[in-house]
Every structure is written in structure tokens, then in C-alpha cells.
Amino acid sequence: MNVVVWSFVTSGMRLVGQDEVVILLVKEDENDPLPPRDMFLHLNEVFLHAKQGWIIDMFFLYFAFTFTALQLLESYFFCTGQIIGNLGHSIVALGGYDLGFLGNRHNAGFLFIRQSYQCVNSLRLPEPPYLFGVLMNKWEIPWAKMFPLRLMLRLGTEYRYYPCPLISYRNRKPVFEEVGHTVMNLLCDFRNFQYHLPCVEDTECCMEKGFITVRFPRHRYDQIVKVCQGSNEHVLAIGLGFAKRADAHLVCVQNFENGQYETKAINIDGQGRKVTGTSFIIFNASLKGSDPLECRAAVVEDGIMAQINVRGLENLKEALKSMRSISFKSYRKTEDEGSLPVEQETILIEWTDDPKTCNAGVKSPIDGKDMIGVESRRVSLKHSMDFLNGTLAVRCTEVFLTDEKDGVALYRAEIDVSRLAENLAMASCAVLRGHLYDYRDAGTTKIALRVSLGPDIVEYEVGAKGERFPPQAMTEFDDKIMPLIYECARVWGARPRLEMELIFRIFQH
């Protein structure tokens, strides 16, 4: 975009369970020798909020993870705090900045996003995963709280950059003003922020010629069931993720003259618009007629409104609960009397085997194994322990659990996996503590322990910087770790294989 920016890149957020953050702030004066102090203050606020581990609403925790491979998440060993993720946001502390944040009283905080199509060449970036922060105006806070995907795409339209620019302007005008008459008023609480449109990650809806295709990944089945159970008998509304397979996306734009919302589209620069993504889909049982597979679809703001009859909505919910595909057909009448209606558009609802996309770019310190799709949880600071050696310390910061297709998650509830992770973390830290200065001198700050349990396997590995520790360095681990692992293997028995990888970080205390 041909601008000069201050590049703020954090290092150490992971110690408190937070992804590292990158903020690209446009310089007001290219000759300004010093970066703005407000940025350091706010990044410290983000660090402290993550460190405090504020408890989030348990309904959200239950909705997001119930019956998945991480049923243990509600255990006290793992973070349930104010951790910012993709499409999360931060808000600046009130009264903390005399002239307003970054010199403007309308600047309110940041919307955090993952990089997708944006160019990041020549940027100094932290170890994945990380987030880019984009500066928000105070008028945009309701959308950051209730429907952040709409705000992200609207910023992309403002700067004609798909899907959203990664740079921040301190004195830009807001892209939204006071919330007006929008379909989201029916689905979100903009007054008290108590409820919002249920969004299902990795789900997408795309429009192509003659087709509207809604794709649900099978690994999000439990979230879809939750949405169906929480809906009423006349409406099923689903918030969607950013459609990466699309080359364009619907965008909702507010007309500041009358407060109304209009539909526009943004596409990848230099490419034609063949597949267009949407931000939500609403199935409304208001259609009259007897055919349960008939529908009428229309674009509403940045989403799709599909009218079907009551039987059609019931069939749709049953299909989703049983993980079946289903389709609806939209017809239009011809002007000739006695002629049959002509099919105009088809809505396809299908399930896919698309892999999980979490932890993209993350590699195991043991052997460089790609951890994309392997879900993880950050360890709660309230119940973790720093093992000190002089001025250095070691801490377990993250646990990866391999998601087996054979339903290993069903067995994890039978034994306390979080307790196992905690015991392994403490035993490993006790061993690592005596060698912290040796690790530091060798440039090692991240170490991993991988434990595998199953009917025909009981083993563990330790490594760093893409290499396993040599046998001579494993003697202390054998004494501390193996008795614990064998006891866990005895309890685990002949159940499907469980693989757990614990991440330890060495830092200056």
C-alpha cells in the first residue's frame, strides 16, 4: 500500500497463553524518530489481561468445545481467560491517555485477525501462530463485539484491499456509525451485549452461478448441533467463517446519510468474481406451500436469507443432526399460463472432510512435525508453576492433543487428562530446571515433551530446535517421567492411542 509504518512485534505473550501480536501503524511523520508510547502501554494491557486469566462466560466455553477432542478444557489446569484469538478485539483503558489513544479520542482499540491473502513479505514476524491488530474507531466497537467478520470485510472495502488491510491509520474515519436498522438487530444484543449470532468456525457459504453452497466440516458437528438446539421453530441463523475458497465476498456498507445498510462486494485484486462468500445464512420458515424442498433465497446485507416452509426447516435440522446433506430449490414462475415453474437457484447443504486449520505454521520442537489441525490449549497461569534456577525460569505454556478419528475423545472423560498433563509438566520442569543455563547458552528457549499411550505403545520423546535429545541427556527424564507414564498406561489400558505434546519455555525471570 506504499506507506511507511511502525512495526510493533511482541515477544513473550505466549508465556501468558496469548498469541504474539503484530501491529503495523502508519507513521504520521516519516521523520518522526520515536514510536508512540501509547502502543507500548496498550500492548502491556493486553499482556496483563491475558496474565490475569479473567473467566469467560461458561456458555461460550461449553458451546465452543463440548463433545470435541478437548472435553477437558473446563479443567482448572488450562486457560479459560481473556485470551484474544482470531477476530477477537482489545479495548484501550478508559482515562489512560490524556489526548486520546494515539492522539485521537475516537481510537478505541484493535481488531485482531489472521493473515490470509495479505502480502507479508519483508516483515519481521514472530513464530506462528500470531495475530495482526488493526486499529478500531469507537463507533466500530459494537461490530467487533457482535459480528467482527462484518467489520473486517468492511475495512477491506474501505481500502480496496482483500479481505482486509493489516495496517492501521490513527485518524481515519469510522466505517460504521450508530447501529441502525439491520437484520442483526434481531440476532444480536447491541444494547447489553448478552447474546449474539452463533458463529461456527471453518463453516462457509459461497454463491456461484445457479448455486448457493453451505459447507459444514465434520469436525464442527457438535457446534452445528448446538446451533440447532438453540434455535426456535421458525428461524435457524448461522454465522459463518471467512470463505478462503472464494475469490470475492459480500460486504455490508452503512449509508451515513440515512443510516441504512447496503450490499457491496470485494474481490481479490486482478481476479474475476466467480465464487462469492457470505458472512451468514438465515433459514426462515415463512414460505407458504407444501413442498418442503422449495425455497426463495435473497441476499440480505452481507448474508443470505432463505425462506422455506416449516416442514422444510424441520427436515433441515434433522439432516444437520444426522450429518446428512440436503438441498433446496428456488423456482420462478413464467409468464405463459399453464407452463411449469422454472428452477432458478439451488441451495446445497453439504458436509465436508476438510481438515482443521488451527495452529497453521506451528512445528514441533522435537522433530519439526507439522501441528496444523492439532488442537491445543494454553496452560493457566493460576495453576502453573515457574521452576527457577537463578535468574532463569521454565514454565509449561501449552498442551497439544492429537485428535484421533476413532473417538479417543470419548475416553478422555474417563481419566483426568488435565491432571496427567499437570503431573507431566511438573516432573519435566523439575528435570529441566537444573540445566537452564546450558539450554540458554545453546540458544534453546523452547522444549517439547511428547507422550504416546496405546494398546501397543508406551513411549515418550523430548527435543528442541527440531532434534530429539540424545540418549545421554534422557537419564533424568527416565527416572522422573517413566514411572508416571507407566501408571497412566495402566489406567488407559487398551483404549485408542492418545498422543500429548507439552511445550516448555525458558525465560528470564
Side-chain angles (χ1 to χ4, degrees):
M1 299 180 71
N2 198 28
V3 292
V4 180
V5 300
W6 289 112
S7 178
F8 297 86
V9 182
T10 66
S11 177
M13 290 283 189
R14 289 188 188 87
L15 291 174
V16 292
Q18 172 65 55
D19 285 349
E20 300 296 348
V21 171
V22 179
I23 293 177
L24 307 175
L25 184 67
V26 175
K27 296 181 69 172
E28 288 188 328
D29 184 354
E30 294 187 8
N31 297 319
D32 190 357
L34 296 176
R37 175 175 175 268
D38 289 358
M39 278 306 313
F40 297 103
L41 295 177
H42 184 61
L43 289 173
N44 187 56
E45 290 172 1
V46 173
F47 178 86
L48 293 177
H49 289 170
K51 186 176 181 180
Q52 290 170 1
W54 295 348
I55 301 301
I56 63 176
D57 181 63
M58 291 305 294
F59 171 76
F60 172 80
L61 184 66
Y62 183 73
F63 170 79
F65 300 108
T66 300
F67 304 127
T68 68
L70 294 179
Q71 287 180 315
L72 55 103
L73 297 188
E74 294 182 26
S75 174
Y76 69 91
F77 185 59
F78 296 101
C79 286
T80 54
Q82 189 74 1
I83 306 301
I84 299 172
N86 185 36
L87 294 179
H89 65 277
S90 65
I91 298 178
V92 298
L94 296 176
Y97 307 91
D98 295 336
L99 300 176
F101 182 61
L102 297 172
N104 188 331
R105 297 187 184 277
H106 293 284
N107 292 331
F110 290 88
L111 175 71
F112 292 92
I113 61 176
R114 301 258 186 234
Q115 179 262 343
S116 54
Y117 292 103
Q118 300 95 333
C119 178
V120 293
N121 295 338
S122 303
L123 287 179
R124 180 192 174 193
L125 299 174
E127 176 187 335
Y130 51 84
L131 297 164
F132 282 91
V134 181
L135 189 61
M136 292 190 305
N137 187 283
K138 68 177 184 180
W139 290 104
E140 298 160 358
I141 289 179
W143 293 109
K145 288 177 175 287
M146 295 288 99
F147 199 24
L149 181 59
R150 172 172 288 189
L151 174 58
M152 182 191 82
L153 293 166
R154 178 63 184 89
L155 288 169
T157 304
E158 183 72 12
Y159 293 99
R160 298 181 180 180
Y161 196 92
Y162 186 85
C164 172
L166 300 179
I167 62 176
S168 298
Y169 295 87
R170 338 183 186 196
N171 297 309
R172 69 170 177 85
K173 296 181 179 179
V175 294
F176 290 109
E177 291 187 345
E178 186 174 357
V179 178
H181 297 290
T182 167
V183 67
M184 286 298 148
N185 281 326
L186 304 175
L187 305 170
C188 303
D189 179 13
F190 287 102
R191 182 181 297 272
N192 300 310
F193 304 114
Q194 295 298 309
Y195 60 87
H196 57 81
L197 173 70
C199 296
V200 182
E201 192 176 358
D202 299 328
T203 297
E204 60 182 39
C205 175
C206 293
M207 299 187 302
E208 302 174 71
K209 186 176 182 180
F211 291 93
I212 298 173
T213 307
V214 185
R215 298 161 59 94
F216 295 118
R218 297 184 189 278
H219 64 267
R220 296 297 179 188
Y221 169 77
D222 305 298
Q223 293 189 29
I224 298 298
V225 171
K226 275 289 178 185
V227 173
C228 292
Q229 292 175 343
S231 65
N232 60 44
E233 59 182 349
H234 296 292
V235 176
L236 175 63
I238 304 174
L240 307 167
F242 173 65
K244 293 184 179 179
R245 76 182 185 96
D247 50 33
H249 213 288
L250 295 183
V251 181
C252 180
V253 177
Q254 186 178 20
N255 186 325
F256 292 156
E257 294 182 0
N258 55 26
Q260 300 298 310
Y261 294 89
E262 304 168 353
T263 301
K264 292 188 177 182
I266 181 176
N267 60 280
I268 300 175
D269 187 37
Q271 293 190 19
R273 191 185 308 164
K274 296 180 180 179
V275 181
T276 303
T278 71
S279 299
F280 66 90
I281 186 166
I282 301 173
F283 292 95
N284 182 5
S286 60
L287 187 65
K288 306 298 181 182
S290 59
D291 186 355
L293 298 181
E294 183 181 357
C295 77
R296 291 179 185 172
V299 172
V300 177
E301 297 174 0
D302 50 357
I304 297 292
M305 175 75 77
Q307 290 180 289
I308 56 180
N309 61 29
V310 175
R311 280 183 55 205
L313 185 58
E314 292 174 355
N315 291 345
L316 172 60
K317 291 181 180 179
E318 288 301 320
L320 293 177
K321 291 177 182 179
S322 58
M323 205 181 289
R324 289 186 289 107
S325 298
I326 189 173
S327 63
F328 297 90
K329 297 186 184 297
S330 176
Y331 297 93
R332 60 179 174 83
K333 293 183 178 180
T334 60
E335 296 180 357
D336 298 333
E337 292 186 10
S339 61
L340 295 175
V342 178
E343 182 180 330
Q344 186 179 18
E345 204 162 37
T346 300
I347 298 181
L348 300 175
I349 292 92
E350 57 186 27
W351 293 88
T352 70
D353 293 316
D354 293 346
K356 298 178 182 178
T357 58
C358 58
N359 288 314
V362 178
K363 306 292 182 181
S364 169
I366 297 175
D367 51 12
K369 174 185 175 182
D370 193 347
M371 304 302 283
I372 184 171
V374 181
E375 295 198 46
S376 65
R377 284 300 286 174
R378 311 295 168 81
V379 177
S380 169
L381 284 185
K382 289 187 175 181
H383 301 97
S384 67
M385 182 180 297
D386 294 345
F387 283 69
L388 307 179
N389 183 353
T391 60
L392 298 179
V394 61
R395 176 190 301 165
C396 179
T397 60
E398 193 167 10
V399 177
F400 290 84
L401 285 170
T402 300
D403 187 12
E404 298 286 353
K405 293 182 179 180
D406 51 13
V408 68
L410 299 177
Y411 299 107
R412 290 181 181 160
E414 298 180 20
I415 67 172
D416 193 346
V417 183
S418 64
R419 178 64 68 179
L420 167 61
E422 181 184 16
N423 291 338
L424 286 171
M426 295 186 68
S428 301
C429 285
V431 175
L432 296 172
R433 174 172 54 184
H435 306 278
L436 294 185
Y437 284 92
D438 295 332
Y439 295 139
R440 184 199 63 178
D441 294 342
T444 299
T445 58
K446 181 180 178 182
I447 299 173
L449 165 71
R450 182 186 298 157
V451 176
S452 301
L453 302 176
D456 56 353
I457 185 171
V458 178
E459 67 177 18
Y460 80 95
E461 300 171 283
V462 183
K465 301 168 72 172
E467 297 181 355
R468 294 176 175 84
F469 278 11
Q472 60 269 24
M474 300 296 288
T475 304
E476 288 186 67
F477 284 97
D478 289 338
D479 295 337
K480 296 282 187 180
I481 302 297
M482 284 309 297
L484 180 59
I485 293 178
Y486 278 122
E487 176 61 22
C488 294
R490 183 188 64 80
V491 176
W492 192 252
R495 297 180 177 91
R497 176 168 173 164
L498 167 69
E499 187 171 287
M500 178 189 307
E501 186 161 327
L502 285 73
I503 303 298
F504 302 88
R505 295 187 182 273
I506 299 169
F507 58 98
Q508 196 78 24
H509 191 268

